[in-house]
């Protein structure tokens, strides 16, 4: 067994430099790598190109790295809940590339599976298609147009899992899974922070979502806040 | 004229037993409240749920279990969880039977704009472009007339597009329209208290009045 364990976020993010492309797992504030985001603030890494479905909120998640102006460019599908983001985008301080959510997920998957491009119908005929190769394919009995989209290339992928073992195998919990498995497989160096780190052998191999071959560094995170963005409830009876 | 719940209630009649359905944010979310009990329908949430249930009881919220609108939700019996790539995989492969989403504008050839107002609102398209590009059947829930009194059923969309030639049916506060393959909004039902004349005034795109136009039964 190859041991993937590092001590903490500081050790896990060794080698992160200015002006790199970094993937961050999570959907909204769900399943985000809280420990690593805090560590990146401490490190003061600048010029980050962040690939992440969302941009957090003003005072949590990637919103924290926007406040400190460490992010140069965001590649996301939806960035609605963040005023600082909007301000930086409208003033031109922050470069933003908005892409369809499925395209974002599948471009990660392409990197994970060793495929340089994918073809997707998402965005055909819209401004997303500008400058992209369009091809017609017949699929499911229907001929239609598809856009060619490239696999992402990320220097680091930073993800959050529920459980992990010392061999780097990961299991995610509930909808905190979201983009984490694809991103975990797509980084040149993948860092996973987990709520529970267990010795290799304790996780059932049949239940593993991401095999350790994709995960270079793993550590047990602490002090998870797990903030809820929209607390919606119903009353009993 | 229908309120938001009325629009949702009318759309719920399009939902059939055994369907997998994706509901967008806003009025579409309300559709879930009007699916008759006893009907087997599974709701898909594109962040990775099939078999999504109602909001949790107070005190039972789980930060790890949210829907695509980032609201806390629950899971029903037989539900499953998957990653974002698989979620859009099943959408692209047309396994999801029906997509219901909101719009700012729809054109007479079935184009939709719902993600961006240049210079004003630039939040992103989320999963909308993927959904409209692949779904077998898409119903739009929207207000037909904006606050300034202008129609949002247009010959051609003014706002940046989300998808082209993809919308099949539109339900508004005033009526139900099928979008014809050759172009045009075919009025098939009017909302209670709404006349065909009201609808003519509120439709900027090509309007075709069905011979069998009737008042909505809701």
């Amino acid at each position: 067994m190859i041991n993937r364990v590092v001590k903490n976020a500081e050790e896990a993010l060794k080698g992160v430099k200015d002006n790199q492309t970094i993937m961050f797992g999570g959907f909204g504030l769900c399943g985000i790598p809280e420990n690593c985001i805090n560590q990146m603030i401490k490190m003061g890494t600048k010029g980050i190109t962040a690939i992440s479905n969302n941009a957090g909120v003003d005072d949590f998640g990637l919103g924290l790295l926007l406040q400190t102006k460490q992010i140069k460019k965001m590649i996301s599908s939806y960035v609605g809940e963040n005023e600082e983001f909007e301000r930086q985008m409208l003033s031109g301080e922050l470069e933003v590339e908005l892409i369809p959510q499925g395209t974002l997920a599948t471009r990660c998957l392409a990197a994970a599976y060793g495929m340089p491009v994918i073809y997707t119908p998402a965005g055909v005929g819209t401004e997303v298609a500008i400058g992209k190769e369009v091809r017609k394919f017949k699929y499911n009995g229907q001929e239609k147009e598809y856009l060619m989209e490239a696999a992402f290339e990320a220097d680091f992928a930073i993800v959050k899992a529920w459980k992990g073992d010392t061999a780097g195998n990961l299991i995610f919990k509930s909808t905190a899974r979201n983009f984490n498995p694809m991103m975990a497989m797509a980084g040149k160096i993948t860092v996973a922070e987990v709520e529970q780190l267990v010795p290799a052998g304790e996780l059932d191999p049949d239940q593993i979502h991401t095999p350790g071959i994709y995960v270079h560094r793993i550590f047990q995170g602490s002090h998870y806040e797990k903030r809820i963005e929209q607390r919606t409830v119903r009353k009993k009876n | 004229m229908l309120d938001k719940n009325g629009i949702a209630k009318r759309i719920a009649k399009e939902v059939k037993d055994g369907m997998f359905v994706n509901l967008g944010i806003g009025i579409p979310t309300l559709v879930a409240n009007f699916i008759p009990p006893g009907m087997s329908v599974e709701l898909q949430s594109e962040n990775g749920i099939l078999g999504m249930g109602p909001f949790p009881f107070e005190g039972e919220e789980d930060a790890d279990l949210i829907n695509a609108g980032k609201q806390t939700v629950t899971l029903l019996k037989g539900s499953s969880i998957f990653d974002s790539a698989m979620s859009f995989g099943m959408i692209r492969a047309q396994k999801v039977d029906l997509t219901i989403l909101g719009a700012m504008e729809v054109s007479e050839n079935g184009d939709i704009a719902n993600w961006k107002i240049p210079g004003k609102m630039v939040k992103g398209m989320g999963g909308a472009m993927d959904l409209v590009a692949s779904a077998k059947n898409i119903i739009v829930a929207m207000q037909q007339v904006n606050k300034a009194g202008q129609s949002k059923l247009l010959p051609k969309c003014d706002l940046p597009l989300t998808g082209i030639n993809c919308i099949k049916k539109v339900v508004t506060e005033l009526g139900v329209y099928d979008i014809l393959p050759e172009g045009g909004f075919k009025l098939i039902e009017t909302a209670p208290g709404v006349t065909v004349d009201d609808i003519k005034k509120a439709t900027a795109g090509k309007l075709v009045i069905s011979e069998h136009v009737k008042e909505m039964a809701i």
Side-chain angles (χ1 to χ4, degrees):
Chain A
M1 187 212 87
I2 297 168
N3 192 318
R4 301 296 212 183
V5 178
V6 294
K7 252 192 301 196
N8 49 29
E10 188 183 346
E11 206 178 310
L13 295 181
K14 241 181 219 164
V16 171
K17 297 192 210 83
D18 290 353
N19 304 311
Q20 285 184 321
T21 298
I22 302 178
M23 289 176 168
F24 292 90
F27 181 93
L29 302 179
C30 183
I32 57 173
E34 297 183 20
N35 286 247
C36 284
I37 290 171
N38 287 334
Q39 178 58 27
M40 293 204 73
I41 294 167
K42 273 192 212 151
M43 289 161 59
T45 315
K46 293 247 179 331
I48 299 167
T49 294
I51 301 172
S52 168
N53 189 56
N54 312 91
V57 294
D58 279 311
D59 60 345
F60 200 57
L62 287 189
L64 297 170
L65 289 174
L66 287 166
Q67 298 258 351
T68 51
K69 307 217 164 84
Q70 290 174 257
I71 297 177
K72 178 181 72 179
K73 180 177 178 180
M74 282 291 316
I75 301 174
S76 304
S77 86
Y78 188 82
V79 291
E81 330 295 341
N82 194 315
E83 276 177 38
E84 177 61 14
F85 183 99
E86 206 167 346
R87 192 196 65 70
Q88 288 185 21
M89 179 171 64
L90 293 173
S91 72
E93 286 165 64
L94 179 71
E95 214 182 310
V96 179
E97 189 181 336
L98 291 169
I99 63 174
Q101 199 171 320
T103 301
L104 179 68
T106 315
R107 287 176 68 184
C108 294
L109 201 70
Y113 283 15
M115 300 180 294
V117 297
I118 56 151
Y119 284 91
T120 175
V124 167
T126 75
E127 61 184 54
V128 166
I130 294 170
K132 287 181 185 149
E133 183 184 318
V134 179
R135 279 184 70 171
K136 266 191 184 169
F137 293 104
K138 197 170 171 190
Y139 167 77
N140 229 0
Q142 241 184 310
E143 191 177 64
K144 61 181 187 184
E145 290 186 331
Y146 291 78
L147 297 185
M148 189 173 84
E149 299 274 8
F152 281 125
E153 290 200 44
D155 299 297
F156 280 83
I158 303 175
V159 304
K160 150 90 196 318
W162 176 45
K163 282 185 183 175
D165 69 15
T166 50
N169 296 306
L170 304 178
I171 295 176
F172 303 92
K173 183 168 163 269
S174 205
T175 57
R177 190 181 321 184
N178 57 61
F179 284 84
N180 281 302
M182 289 91 66
M183 289 185 172
M185 297 190 292
K188 289 194 184 98
I189 297 174
T190 290
V191 170
E193 56 173 86
V194 299
E195 288 179 56
Q196 295 171 44
L197 182 64
V198 301
E202 283 200 12
L203 300 180
D204 177 354
D206 274 330
Q207 303 300 319
I208 284 165
H209 295 131
T210 303
I213 190 170
Y214 285 112
V215 179
H216 305 89
R217 304 171 187 175
I218 189 168
F219 69 98
Q220 182 165 309
S222 60
H223 301 95
Y224 283 104
E225 188 179 332
K226 292 200 181 186
R227 204 184 284 187
I228 292 174
E229 214 165 319
Q230 308 267 351
R231 187 179 299 274
T232 45
V233 294
R234 66 196 151 122
K235 292 235 186 285
K236 275 195 177 148
N237 58 62
Chain B
M1 197 146 94
L2 301 177
D3 60 7
K4 286 179 180 182
N5 277 307
I7 295 173
K9 206 169 169 184
R10 173 59 189 84
I11 291 178
K13 297 177 83 173
E14 304 292 323
V15 177
K16 305 280 182 282
D17 199 50
M19 273 188 173
F20 293 98
V21 182
N22 181 291
L23 301 177
I25 295 162
I27 301 174
T29 304
L30 300 173
V31 173
N33 301 335
F34 300 105
I35 296 171
M39 196 187 265
S40 305
V41 171
E42 280 203 26
L43 299 181
Q44 200 252 17
S45 188
E46 64 266 25
N47 59 320
I49 309 175
L50 266 175
M52 179 171 58
F55 294 153
F57 289 120
E58 252 175 324
E60 292 176 10
E61 334 57 290
D62 176 359
D64 288 331
L65 182 52
I66 61 169
N67 66 14
K70 283 123 191 166
Q71 300 169 311
T72 46
V73 291
T74 55
L75 299 177
L76 297 177
K77 222 181 262 180
S79 64
S80 54
I81 296 281
F82 34 86
D83 65 48
S84 303
M86 188 182 285
S87 181
F88 285 94
M90 65 182 69
I91 288 166
R92 229 179 278 123
Q94 303 190 320
K95 305 294 179 192
V96 178
D97 300 292
L98 177 62
T99 292
I100 300 166
L101 77 178
M104 299 171 186
E105 295 175 350
V106 173
S107 78
E108 63 192 35
N109 63 338
D111 294 352
I112 174 172
N114 73 349
W115 75 282
K116 183 178 184 183
I117 304 171
K120 263 195 201 162
M121 187 211 81
V122 190
K123 293 177 184 231
M125 64 291 279
M129 283 193 184
D130 306 273
L131 282 158
V132 299
S134 293
K136 274 187 282 199
N137 193 6
I138 308 172
I139 301 177
V140 164
M142 68 188 288
Q143 301 292 332
Q144 189 163 339
V145 177
N146 68 16
K147 282 175 192 141
Q150 293 158 324
S151 174
K152 301 196 283 182
L153 300 185
L154 302 170
K156 202 170 166 288
C157 294
D158 291 323
L159 293 170
L161 294 175
T162 309
I164 54 171
N165 305 118
C166 52
I167 307 304
K168 304 279 195 298
K169 195 182 274 282
V170 181
V171 179
T172 76
E173 74 279 21
L174 302 178
V176 181
Y177 310 83
D178 281 336
I179 297 198
L180 299 169
E182 67 274 22
F185 299 99
K186 184 177 179 185
L187 175 68
I188 53 173
E189 290 177 28
T190 54
V194 173
T195 66
V196 171
D197 267 351
D198 294 332
I199 284 183
K200 281 182 181 163
K201 276 180 221 150
T203 311
K206 183 180 163 196
L207 182 68
V208 177
I209 315 284
S210 162
E211 298 159 33
H212 310 291
V213 64
K214 54 179 185 185
E215 188 173 296
M216 243 178 247
I218 56 166

